[in-house]
Amino acid sequence: MDLKLDPSRDDLPLMANTSHILVKHYVLDLNVDFESQIIEGSIVLFFESGNRFEKQSGSTKETCQSESSEACRFRTPEPCHSPGTDTRTFSPKTGYNDFAICGKGEKDTSGKDGNHDNPEQASGISSSKYCCDTGNHRNEEFLLVLDCCDLSVLKVEEVDVAAVPGIEKFTRSPKLTVVSEELRNQIVHELVTLPADRWREQLDYYAGCSQAPGCGELLFDTDTWSLQIRKTGAHTATDFPHAIRIRYSTKPQGRSVTWTSDQSGRPCVYTMGSPINNRALFPCQEPPVAMSTWQATVRAAASFVVLMSGENSAKPTQLQEGCTSWHYYVTMPMPASTFTIAVGSWTEMKPEICSPKDLAAERSLSPSETDSRYVGICGHVEYPCRFQNPSATTQEIIPHRVFAPLCLQGACRETLLHLIPLCLSAAYSVLGTHPFSRLDILIVPANFPSLGMASPHIIFLSQSVLTGTSHLCGTRLCHEIAHAWFGLAIGARDWTEEWLSEGFATHLEDVFWAAAQQLAPHEAQEQQELKACLRWLRLQDEVRNSPQEMQVLRPNKEKTGHVSDSGSSVIKHGLNPEKVFMQVHYLKGYFLLRFLAQRLGDETYFAFLRKYVHTFHGQLILSQDFLQLLLENIPEEERLELSVENIFRDWLESSGIPQPLQRERQARAECGLARQVSAEVEKWIRVNRRPRKRKRREAEEVFEKLLPDQLVLLLEHLLEQKTLTARTLHSLEKTYHLPQQDAEVRHRWCELIVKHKYTKAYKDVERFLQEDQVGAQAARTAYVWTCHFSPFLAVPLRPAGHGRVPLWGADAARGCQAAAGCPPVL
């Protein structure tokens, strides 16, 4: 493995040595300061090591970056500046005085209401930093490597967990008289391995341990991608402290967080799931195998709401005047990359109580159907699993909250609120038990780089889904809800296999949305065929205008899932700016699953999906795990030449359009909705050819009313026309009320405007770029909108050479403005 990692390369390094030692739990204690645009505080990490982590117990060959082969030397500590801890107010020029960072050292006086708030005792932050020059020697100390970037690490220390009152219950001694490193590690081991039914007690002890005093500073150093920590005399992972505290602060330019303003002009911050994930939010283990739980206390000014990936619906606790504390926790182990936080002046909108008759997708499950979903023992590590909870298995609609800026309340109530129970119930009707106990939905600021993003217990939605009809909002909501099962409850063990989450979510959004609308089977089939037609056009454009190596769903092939001896690895193309615009994992993954569903039949296919969810929830998998389980559940005579090897060859390990898909699309006739669009296109072509002065007897064309997806397809076809007159464009705009349609439709309308220089509608393009550009993805689309329109563009035009890729659907572009280096359009 190349240790001289170049940040300009397009592969993303995962530096953590997870084969030696694993983080089992994080306790974060943070303050949010909007004046300095910094999140600062501490994080306590609880580790577990074992025989399988001792492969290179004394070696740092795979994880250290050393310029010499000399023995490790420690230089004299150098002073470093620690951010001030005084309470400050927001700059007077903003017009607010309630955006202060909360004072440090305030005692949290919250009651035992389930929030488990975690006070941070006042303590000074050491200004010393130890740097080391690491070599590879048999007798050197064990080196802990964490993924870290764009952070100011101030101090690292061992935590004296033995000082926590009552902690002796985790030892063999009634009293702790002599405390050793071995005893502290034994306490942590007993704590992280408590049975699942003692999770509340476990969280309380984690909180207590996180507040325990330090018992010795640890040596540390940072480089571009990692934080490296060692303790003198600790030669193996077993000897290394199993509870450490890191005091640190983020940087305003950190690539894991976005500081901005919401649509009402109020400051806010959110994690954007950038290509570097959360390593610029807190030091962590980023490889997906590092499954952990967490709890977090976040303090902010009282005017702010703190939302987070957490199982509890946290409520604010008043600390000092003008400052509140919020506490969240999770008990289901998940990769650290799934942790999400958003802090802003959001307003909660209470959804109306729906009666059963209002839930179009609600239906009763037969006893046999229910039993078939929930039998069997879970295959994951022990945690309080909803799949083994009888009340959870019958819960069609999980509790949910909706938050948005004040100015978008009306749009949310009109478009979003009534859809949530419908879509949740629809998802349950297809897959059964919801993996997570509750859901927050947040309308994020205008510079959010995608239509949506799903994290445990929280979904981010773009304001763009609130315009037009409910169609775009419903399909996007269904897509993100599907990620609860595919991408979160079941994750990919190798991040290059994004199709295991995005392909499934894209396929199931159609199924959920049809159930939410309570469509008849033939109507659902027609809508899904129309969607397939649109995605086929997008995939063709994708493969024509992207590098071949970026079109492969399984680029590591037989090495997929492999890591170095230390556990470190790289994510192929993880930092490539092109990747954030790619939809290939969505589209090829979707068409593969659609191909399998058609071969097996819907009944067999969805019965298998429910078994797949029950078998692998709470676990990380590779493509072959899914495919092998699929083939095991199909009678041999019905496999019809399906095999893992054939699917790898045809669908996952080759660029371009898979041969089975090409044959299927060539043989398939247009669906009824697509034929209707084709007829309308012919009408518009005739209208466009007519002279300005027509004969009196010439009849006017009568246009049919079209569904939103039909409008998208219509405009896609009209974009292929070389010339459309201003008269045609004006008629097109008036016939379909294009400026009032959803963002998918308006995106194509804007392309028509610019392509044909329809100056009367330039205001529609300006509005789209201001309100719906979705971060740097617009930069990819903008160049086709011709350079003459550049005065309206607040982002640099990308060089030509790419095809016209639709703005929506590229959710892999989470945080793409950072990767592409393009400023957001606000």
Side-chain angles (χ1 to χ4, degrees):
M1 181 177 172
D2 182 10
L3 300 179
K4 305 296 182 182
L5 293 167
D6 180 0
S8 65
R9 282 176 26 175
D10 67 0
D11 288 342
L12 173 67
L14 303 180
M15 302 294 290
N17 51 343
T18 54
S19 293
H20 299 157
I21 191 168
L22 282 175
V23 178
K24 305 300 289 185
H25 189 77
Y26 297 94
V27 179
L28 295 97
D29 197 295
L30 304 174
N31 298 281
V32 180
D33 183 358
F34 280 94
E35 181 180 355
S36 62
Q37 296 191 341
I38 284 174
I39 299 174
E40 64 88 25
S42 68
I43 182 171
V44 176
L45 294 76
F46 296 86
F47 297 98
E48 177 78 324
S49 65
N51 293 334
R52 70 187 187 91
F53 304 133
E54 296 293 334
K55 296 178 182 177
Q56 291 186 338
S57 59
S59 172
T60 58
K61 180 178 180 181
E62 293 284 56
T63 53
C64 296
Q65 299 183 37
S66 174
E67 295 297 329
S68 72
S69 60
E70 299 179 24
C72 183
R73 298 191 302 263
F74 303 102
R75 295 193 284 271
T76 303
E78 300 175 358
C80 65
H81 176 68
S82 173
T85 58
D86 56 299
T87 301
R88 292 171 289 177
T89 57
F90 201 68
S91 174
K93 66 183 179 181
T94 65
Y96 301 114
N97 60 7
D98 55 348
F99 303 136
I101 183 174
C102 296
K104 317 302 183 296
E106 295 296 322
K107 181 69 174 178
D108 189 338
T109 57
S110 64
K112 298 295 183 179
D113 60 353
N115 286 344
H116 300 286
D117 285 300
N118 176 17
E120 169 72 89
Q121 301 298 327
S123 61
I125 298 178
S126 169
S127 61
S128 63
K129 174 182 176 182
Y130 294 86
C131 300
C132 65
D133 179 15
T134 58
N136 181 26
H137 293 264
R138 295 181 63 87
N139 295 322
E140 69 181 9
E141 287 87 6
F142 170 77
L143 189 70
L144 169 68
V145 181
L146 299 174
D147 293 297
C148 174
C149 184
D150 300 336
L151 293 178
S152 296
V153 178
L154 308 174
K155 180 181 179 181
V156 183
E157 63 182 351
E158 181 178 358
V159 178
D160 187 7
V161 296
V164 177
I167 203 71
E168 60 272 6
K169 69 189 298 182
F170 296 114
T171 70
R172 299 182 183 91
S173 304
K175 291 185 179 181
L176 300 182
T177 54
V178 179
V179 177
S180 63
E181 188 73 66
E182 183 180 1
L183 179 64
R184 293 191 190 98
N185 287 352
Q186 178 195 339
I187 292 171
V188 174
H189 171 75
E190 296 296 328
L191 178 57
V192 301
T193 56
L194 278 178
D197 60 0
R198 296 174 65 184
W199 65 269
R200 289 186 183 274
E201 177 187 9
Q202 186 182 46
L203 287 176
D204 286 337
Y205 273 103
Y206 277 139
C209 289
S210 74
Q211 297 305 309
C215 56
E217 292 193 28
L218 302 177
L219 310 178
F220 71 91
D221 192 16
T222 59
D223 57 25
T224 302
W225 291 113
S226 70
L227 168 63
Q228 304 164 9
I229 304 169
R230 70 170 73 239
K231 179 180 179 178
T232 302
H235 296 285
T236 69
T238 302
D239 301 332
F240 190 81
H242 283 26
I244 67 171
R245 180 185 293 114
I246 303 171
R247 298 190 184 275
Y248 74 98
S249 63
T250 64
K251 296 180 180 180
Q253 69 274 21
R255 284 168 280 178
S256 295
V257 292
T258 298
W259 298 88
T260 186
S261 297
D262 67 19
Q263 293 85 343
S264 295
R266 306 276 288 185
C268 60
V269 61
Y270 63 88
T271 53
M272 58 190 185
S274 69
I276 67 168
N277 291 320
N278 279 323
R279 68 184 71 186
L281 178 63
F282 58 90
C284 57
Q285 292 182 330
E286 282 282 10
V289 296
M291 305 265 278
S292 60
T293 53
W294 58 75
Q295 61 196 99
T297 298
V298 178
R299 284 173 290 278
S303 60
F304 290 100
V305 172
V306 177
L307 303 177
M308 194 183 298
S309 305
E311 294 171 18
N312 58 318
S313 297
K315 302 296 182 183
T317 299
Q318 187 71 37
L319 297 179
Q320 63 190 41
E321 185 178 354
C323 185
T324 55
S325 172
W326 302 70
H327 189 85
Y328 289 87
Y329 61 82
V330 298
T331 59
M332 174 182 173
M334 284 174 287
S337 60
T338 63
F339 179 94
T340 300
I341 185 173
V343 184
S345 299
W346 326 120
T347 300
E348 181 179 359
M349 285 159 291
K350 302 290 185 181
E352 296 180 3
I353 299 176
C354 297
S355 62
K357 65 180 180 180
D358 295 326
L359 301 177
E362 186 174 4
R363 67 182 181 88
S364 298
L365 300 176
S366 66
S368 60
E369 196 173 9
T370 304
D371 293 341
S372 69
R373 295 186 184 192
Y374 312 125
V375 295
I377 300 173
C378 297
H380 52 70
V381 298
E382 189 180 13
Y383 67 82
C385 180
R386 286 175 54 81
F387 287 81
Q388 296 297 329
N389 183 337
S391 62
T393 60
T394 57
Q395 189 177 31
E396 292 191 43
I397 302 169
I398 56 176
H400 50 277
R401 304 185 297 182
V402 179
F403 295 86
L406 187 63
C407 64
L408 292 179
Q409 281 191 86
C412 281
R413 292 190 184 281
E414 183 178 344
T415 306
L416 175 63
L417 282 187
H418 73 282
L419 293 178
I420 299 171
L422 300 178
C423 295
L424 288 172
S425 183
Y428 175 87
S429 72
V430 176
L431 295 177
T433 307
H434 290 279
F436 301 102
S437 59
R438 66 170 204 95
L439 176 65
D440 284 341
I441 297 175
L442 172 66
I443 303 300
V444 282
N447 70 336
F448 184 67
S450 171
L451 278 182
M453 184 177 80
S455 298
H457 312 283
I458 187 169
I459 286 173
F460 290 172
L461 287 180
S462 167
Q463 65 177 22
S464 297
V465 304
L466 301 178
T467 58
T469 65
S470 62
H471 175 75
L472 180 59
C473 187
T475 55
R476 176 49 45 173
L477 182 59
C478 287
H479 182 101
E480 304 307 336
I481 288 173
H483 276 311
W485 286 269
F486 306 103
L488 295 176
I490 303 175
R493 187 152 60 87
D494 188 313
W495 280 349
T496 60
E497 294 202 303
E498 298 168 50
W499 81 272
L500 286 170
S501 62
E502 299 301 351
F504 276 90
T506 303
H507 187 227
L508 284 166
E509 75 176 60
D510 298 348
V511 179
F512 291 178
W513 184 230
Q517 298 174 90
Q518 205 176 15
L519 297 179
H522 72 279
E523 293 177 302
Q525 179 69 19
E526 279 288 299
Q527 285 197 12
Q528 290 168 20
E529 288 294 335
L530 177 63
K531 205 75 173 182
C533 180
L534 284 169
R535 290 175 180 140
W536 169 246
L537 293 175
R538 294 181 186 182
L539 180 58
Q540 287 179 301
D541 186 82
E542 181 96 355
V543 300
R544 280 196 300 264
N545 300 287
S546 61
Q548 285 193 354
E549 64 270 16
M550 303 283 283
Q551 301 170 16
V552 180
L553 301 193
R554 196 169 179 262
N556 292 331
K557 298 185 178 179
E558 70 278 358
K559 294 183 179 180
T560 302
H562 289 195
V563 296
S564 69
D565 287 343
S566 72
S568 59
S569 61
V570 296
I571 303 302
K572 198 170 183 64
H573 307 304
L575 292 175
N576 190 327
E578 281 293 304
K579 190 172 186 297
V580 300
F581 303 110
M582 299 285 289
Q583 299 181 64
V584 67
H585 291 86
Y586 295 73
L587 299 173
K588 290 178 74 172
Y590 156 80
F591 277 114
L592 169 57
L593 295 172
R594 191 170 184 271
F595 165 78
L596 294 174
Q598 290 172 340
R599 294 287 292 269
L600 304 179
D602 282 351
E603 185 176 350
T604 300
Y605 175 74
F606 286 108
F608 162 73
L609 272 194
R610 290 189 285 273
K611 181 172 183 178
Y612 168 64
V613 166
H614 190 82
T615 302
F616 287 118
H617 71 273
Q619 300 175 65
L620 302 172
I621 69 162
L622 299 174
S623 293
Q624 55 261 43
D625 298 316
F626 165 73
L627 295 173
Q628 286 168 357
L629 184 66
L630 174 72
L631 296 176
E632 288 171 7
N633 284 270
I634 303 173
E636 188 170 349
E637 64 273 12
E638 296 181 13
R639 292 182 185 178
L640 302 175
E641 299 180 358
L642 288 177
S643 69
V644 174
E645 293 75 17
N646 290 346
I647 293 173
F648 277 173
R649 182 195 64 216
D650 295 339
W651 292 90
L652 303 182
E653 294 182 354
S654 59
S655 60
I657 296 177
Q659 288 297 323
L661 176 58
Q662 290 192 43
R663 292 192 294 269
E664 185 265 337
R665 297 309 301 181
Q666 291 168 357
R668 181 176 293 274
E670 272 192 327
C671 67
L673 294 176
R675 287 196 300 272
Q676 187 180 16
V677 171
S678 297
E680 298 302 295
V681 170
E682 292 300 320
K683 294 178 185 177
W684 284 108
I685 291 175
R686 289 197 297 268
V687 167
N688 191 59
R689 289 173 179 169
R690 287 175 180 168
R692 183 175 296 273
K693 293 184 179 180
R694 293 173 296 157
K695 298 179 182 179
R696 289 186 177 181
R697 288 178 296 178
E698 194 170 356
E700 291 282 348
E701 294 285 1
V702 177
F703 297 101
E704 301 291 335
K705 185 177 180 180
L706 299 179
L707 299 171
D709 282 338
Q710 286 181 297
L711 275 177
V712 171
L713 184 58
L714 173 78
L715 298 180
E716 290 275 359
H717 286 317
L718 291 179
L719 276 163
E720 297 171 0
Q721 297 299 307
K722 185 175 181 180
T723 303
L724 293 179
T725 66
R727 175 171 46 84
T728 300
L729 292 170
H730 176 75
S731 180
L732 193 69
E733 176 184 3
K734 297 302 179 184
T735 299
Y736 301 116
H737 308 288
L738 293 177
Q740 287 76 50
Q741 295 292 338
D742 67 35
E744 284 269 20
V745 176
R746 286 186 289 112
H747 175 222
R748 276 73 175 184
W749 169 233
C750 288
E751 291 195 56
L752 279 172
I753 291 169
V754 177
K755 177 178 180 179
H756 300 292
K757 301 181 181 180
Y758 183 44
T759 57
K760 290 183 179 180
Y762 274 5
K763 63 182 183 301
D764 293 342
V765 182
E766 183 177 12
R767 174 194 162 207
F768 184 85
L769 288 174
Q770 290 173 340
E771 299 178 5
D772 300 287
Q773 52 80 39
V774 189
Q777 293 181 63
R780 172 77 181 259
T781 307
Y783 84 89
V784 293
W785 289 357
T786 67
C787 292
H788 81 275
F789 201 72
S790 58
F792 285 99
L793 298 177
V795 292
L797 293 179
R798 288 197 170 275
H802 301 290
R804 181 176 54 77
V805 176
L807 186 58
W808 314 120
D811 301 271
R814 301 192 314 185
C816 60
Q817 68 264 46
C822 300
V825 178
L826 298 177

